[in-house]
Structures are given as C-alpha cells and as structure tokens.
DNA sequence: CGAAGTTTTGAGGACCTTCAAAAGTTGTGG
DNA sequence: CCACAACTTTTGAAGGTCCTCAAAACTTCG
C-alpha cells in the first residue's frame, strides 16, 4: 500500500475521455485526487453488505462482483467489474452499502475518499456530468440483467452474459478477438444468472455441443459470434458506448 | 396542454427536500424550469423503445411502467412509477431510450427540456447532487428487482413487489394504512415479476388463502404486514429513505 | 502426490409454463 | 338500466425447464 498513486494508471479517466472531451484542468484535478492502492486476494470482500463506506474504488486489475445475499443463503450477483471500472461510485452519495463487493481473482484497486470526489464533481460540472453518466450506464446494465433473469431462458441468458463480458473486456484491451479470459467459477456464474450450478454446467455443455463456444482453463472462445448474438438477443445499446449527450 | 406550469405541483421538489435541505435560490431556480403539462390515456406509450428524447417527465398523477420488449414478444417491466417520481431523469444524459415508458391509468406529466435540467444542475451543485442521488436510488431499485426475479420464488417476489408498491405509495400519501390502490392488470404484474399470468393468478390466490392479503377492485390490503415482510425478505434499505449523505 | 476446489453425471421431483376454455368484471350504447 | 362486447381473472390438464441431492471425475495448487 503506497500513498497517493496517480489515478491515471487505472484507465478510468481514459474511459471518461473516450466518452467525451474533458478540459485539461478537469483532467488535472481528477488525476490529483488522493488515491491509495490496495491489493486483495481471491474471494475477499472489498465491501461487506450493510457496511458504511468512506471511499470509492477504481479497479486497476482483477475481477470483482457486486452481490446480495438472502436470508436463506442464496446469493444474486448483480454485476461484474473489470479494469477501468469505478466499482462503487454510488457509495459517494449512498455511503451505506446495500450490497457487497467481492474479488474473483487477485485484484488491485485505488481508493479515493468520497469527499474528494464530491469536491471535484462540484468544482468541475463536466466531471460531475461524466460521473453521473457513469452511474446511469451502471443502471442501464442492471436493467438489462433484470431482463436477462426475468425473461430469457437459461441458454439465452448464459449467452448474453458471455457476450457482455467479452464486449467490456474488449473495450479495455483484455480480449483478443473472440477469445477472452473469464476467471469465474460456474458456481459464481450461476449466481449471476439466477440458475443452479448444475443447470449452468449442462447449459454450457449444450452451447459447446452446438459449436457456439469453446472453453479451456477459464478462457472462453465465441466460435460463432453471429448465432450467439441472435440467440442472446444481444444489442450493445444498453452499454451506451457512444458516451453521453454532448453539452454545447 | 398549457405552457409553463409550475413544477412544484408535481411533488418532486418535495421529495428532494425530504431527503435534505435545499437552498431557497436552488428551489426557486428549479421551480422556474419551463414545464409543459401533458395528459395520457390508459395504455399509451410516453416514450417508445429506441426513441430519441428531448425532455424528461415528472409524474403528477397516474401510474406508468418502464419496460423492454424482446424479439419473441416477451416483455419485462423494469419499474413502476407514481406521483412525485421523475420517470426518465436518465434521458438527460442518455437521450436514446433503451426502454419504453407506458401508462397503466390516465396519467398527467410535466415535461422539462433536458437542456434546462442540465443547466440548473450545473449552476447549483446541490441540485446536481440531488438529481444524481435520485438516479442512484433508481439503480438500487433495479438491483433489488434483479434479486427478486433471479433468486426469489414466485410467492416471495409477488409479496415483495406488493410491499414495495405500498411503501412508495405511502411516501406520497396514496396509501391508507395497509390498503392501497394497485391499478395494474395481472398480465402486466406478471411481466414485472418474470412469471406467467396464469401462475401469478394462482400465486395471488395462495396469498389470499393464507390470509396475507385481500384484494377488491384493484385495491390491495396487506392483512398481515409482518408475515408478508418476512416472506418477501423485504428491507427498505434499498429505497434509501434517509436521503443522501449530507455534505458539509 | 495428496488435498481442496470445481465440473460433470444421474435420477427424481418441484415449480412454473403453455394452451384452451370458462367465469367474472368493466365499460358503452341503445 | 339492460345487453353486449371487450377485457381480465380463474380453472384444468399436460408437459418442460430447472432444481435438489449425491457421488464421481476432473483440475489446480501447494
């Protein structure tokens, strides 16, 4: 853990800039935010459900999920996050976590105090808008997941999750064509998909049998992207890759 | 349709103020936003999926849902909205709608141009924060719905939806104790719950048989609030009634 | 090489779906 | 105010998707 690492290493600023120009002063102010690097092992809680938080996390490397646990022990994973994502931007205004955050592989994050983020957001309205936009995309992804678990078959929703993961990895240069790492156990994937691990195993087998995907050592290859997209009803609109409305 | 109705009639400002003090100047600026009243009949689209929008809507009276339609015709309702809700605040920055908005009863809304909203949000950071907070609560509700359809039985998730609806109606004075109007057909409710209409009908019958609820002419009575809350695993945390973090 | 974790297989059953038709409710016009 | 149409809810029956439990096979890692 070192003090005040530069935020620019985490690719989040790069993401905001991909979505729209940001003035040099705002970039400088953002990059100057006090950040602390922290490292987590596999299967560690970064934030526990119900915990009060004081910092937000930028993900430098690794994979985490946000999840909720029900009283009967069942768990629903709400989203996965990868390099360049701001994991819990919402905690800036909602400091009591209504869900947990947990690593799936060794993970590095940069922590920034909420107060510092609120401060730059108020001083630079363009940054405030960029952060707001980011939480809106977050919400759009949650909506898509609701559609996924609510109205798609196990086969369709599994295909959909794989395509979303691939798309987002590509954006940050972690997928090579149709091949990408997916270092998440089937038990965890099934918690994201709202199905049982056993049924997920059979579903993945069926996708392989139909030559839609192949898998080896937690790497996935989309063998037939077109049929996969059709099967999943995958449409990237909800990821809003075009960035926010431009303000005159 | 009359020109520039006062926004204060729609209770949205009241909601923001319930969540935290707002300066008189900000209140005045917000109330001065150019608003146009529009009225819609039952089962009309306020926004169509994929449509480009230029205004956001405050709901004065009525009930609407946001929904997505899949290619096979299946539909998932993503949220319901009632008096005092800002229905599509997100369209301010995401002008292309990734979902539709439809009325369930005759509905009145006040429309405000996106540009005007962005303007006050930039001029009054406290308003920017309040709007941001509102979209964060929106996202929290979507997360809860993902949990609902992903990990709860039909019985549990039906109970959960009823309790959420009651809670939110109460906040705006539309529920009398444990009795509240729910003017939504079972077909639409089943689209929100991710189950078939037939199964919802049987599920509601079971809840009635177990003396948890009663229903008459689209009015619901929660007969045993305690058992209902336990059954549903209903916890109001995700609705964040306490408002956002106070900024010093 | 053994231990721990993960994926796969098998079997039986529960939950929920689909289809189709009946019963009930609401709204409209004569 | 009744009659009829349109819509909504309920009922019945058969079947499919997905679940649970339990054990075996396979991987990964110290």
């Amino acid at each position: 853990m070192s003090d005040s690492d530069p935020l620019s290493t985490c690719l989040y600023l790069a993401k905001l800039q991909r979505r729209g120009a940001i003035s040099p002063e705002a970039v400088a102010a953002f990059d100057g935010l006090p950040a602390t690097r922290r490292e987590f092992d596999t299967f560690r809680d970064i934030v526990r459900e119900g915990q009060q938080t004081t910092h937000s996390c930028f993900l430098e490397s690794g994979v985490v999920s946000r999840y909720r646990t029900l009283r009967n022990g069942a768990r629903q994973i709400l989203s996965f996050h990868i390099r360049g994502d701001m994991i819990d931007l919402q905690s800036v205004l909602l400091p009591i976590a209504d869900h947990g955050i947990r690593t799936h592989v060794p993970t590095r994050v940069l922590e920034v105090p909420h107060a510092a983020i609120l401060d730059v957001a108020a001083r630079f309205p363009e940054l405030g808008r960029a952060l707001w936009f980011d939480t809106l995309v977050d919400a759009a992804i949650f909506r898509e997941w609701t559609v996924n678990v609510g109205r798609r078959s196990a086969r369709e929703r599994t295909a959909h999750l794989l395509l979303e993961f691939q798309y987002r990895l590509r954006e940050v240069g972690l997928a090579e064509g149709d091949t990408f790492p997916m270092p998440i156990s089937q038990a965890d994937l099934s918690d994201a998909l709202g199905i049982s691990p056993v049924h997920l195993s059979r579903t993945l087998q069926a996708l392989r049998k139909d030559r839609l995907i192949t898998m080896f050592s937690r790497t996935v290859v989309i063998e037939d992207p077109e049929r996969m997209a059709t099967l999943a009803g995958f449409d990237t609109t909800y990821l809003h890759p075009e960035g926010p409305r431009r303000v005159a």
Side-chain angles (χ1 to χ4, degrees), chain A:
Chain A
M1 209 194 279
S2 74
D3 255 53
S4 235
D5 300 278
L7 264 187
S8 40
T9 62
C10 78
L11 290 190
Y12 184 70
L13 247 174
K15 183 201 272 187
L16 295 190
Q17 290 178 304
R18 234 184 2 256
R19 290 172 172 168
I22 296 180
S23 73
E25 306 84 62
V27 169
F30 197 83
D31 209 28
L33 287 174
T36 307
R37 178 173 287 125
R38 290 185 65 191
E39 315 218 352
F40 292 89
D41 230 331
T42 301
F43 298 147
R44 297 277 184 265
D45 268 318
I46 292 185
V47 174
R48 248 177 282 277
E49 294 173 88
Q51 181 188 332
Q52 170 122 18
T53 60
T54 55
H55 294 67
S56 282
C57 293
F58 297 85
L59 207 159
E60 265 194 319
S61 70
V63 175
V64 306
S65 64
R66 306 206 247 166
Y67 66 91
R68 284 231 322 142
T69 311
L70 305 189
R71 269 165 308 112
N72 64 11
R75 195 176 53 184
Q76 177 68 44
I77 287 180
L78 301 160
S79 64
F80 289 112
H81 293 282
I82 59 174
R83 173 162 87 186
D85 285 350
M86 187 150 184
I87 310 173
D88 57 348
L89 183 45
Q90 36 129 44
S91 68
V92 165
L93 291 177
L94 270 44
I96 297 193
D98 58 23
H99 59 270
I101 302 178
R102 173 170 165 267
T103 61
H104 290 265
V105 295
T107 295
R108 266 205 323 268
V109 301
L110 288 171
E111 282 193 343
V112 180
H114 291 150
I117 295 171
L118 277 174
D119 178 59
V120 287
R123 281 192 0 250
F124 298 91
E126 57 183 325
L127 278 181
R129 268 200 307 277
L131 295 177
W132 188 11
F133 176 79
D134 204 42
T135 59
L136 291 175
V137 174
D138 223 45
I141 296 178
F142 291 133
R143 284 195 291 274
E144 189 67 25
W145 280 44
T146 302
V147 174
N148 222 23
V149 293
R151 280 294 177 225
R152 288 199 252 255
S153 68
R155 186 184 168 85
E156 293 166 337
R157 70 178 91 158
T158 302
H160 198 279
L161 179 60
L162 293 179
L163 292 177
E164 179 186 313
F165 209 81
Q166 178 197 24
Y167 184 92
R168 291 173 56 199
L169 285 174
R170 263 190 184 153
E171 280 194 314
V172 291
L174 290 174
E176 296 184 22
D178 291 311
T179 304
F180 58 95
M182 189 138 196
I184 302 166
S185 75
Q186 290 187 15
D188 288 327
L189 285 176
S190 70
D191 280 338
L193 293 167
I195 61 180
S196 70
V198 172
H199 195 56
L200 174 60
S201 172
R202 294 194 227 269
T203 302
L204 287 171
Q205 284 170 57
L207 292 177
R208 277 174 288 182
K209 181 160 154 289
D210 295 345
R211 308 203 171 287
L212 290 161
I213 63 171
T214 52
M215 294 167 62
F216 60 95
S217 63
R218 301 216 163 156
T219 298
V220 177
V221 184
I222 308 289
E223 298 290 352
D224 195 329
E226 204 155 317
R227 267 168 67 223
M228 277 288 277
T230 306
L231 165 63
F234 185 69
D235 174 346
T236 59
T237 306
Y238 75 97
L239 294 166
H240 294 277
E242 78 289 346
R245 160 200 303 281
R246 300 293 187 272
V247 181

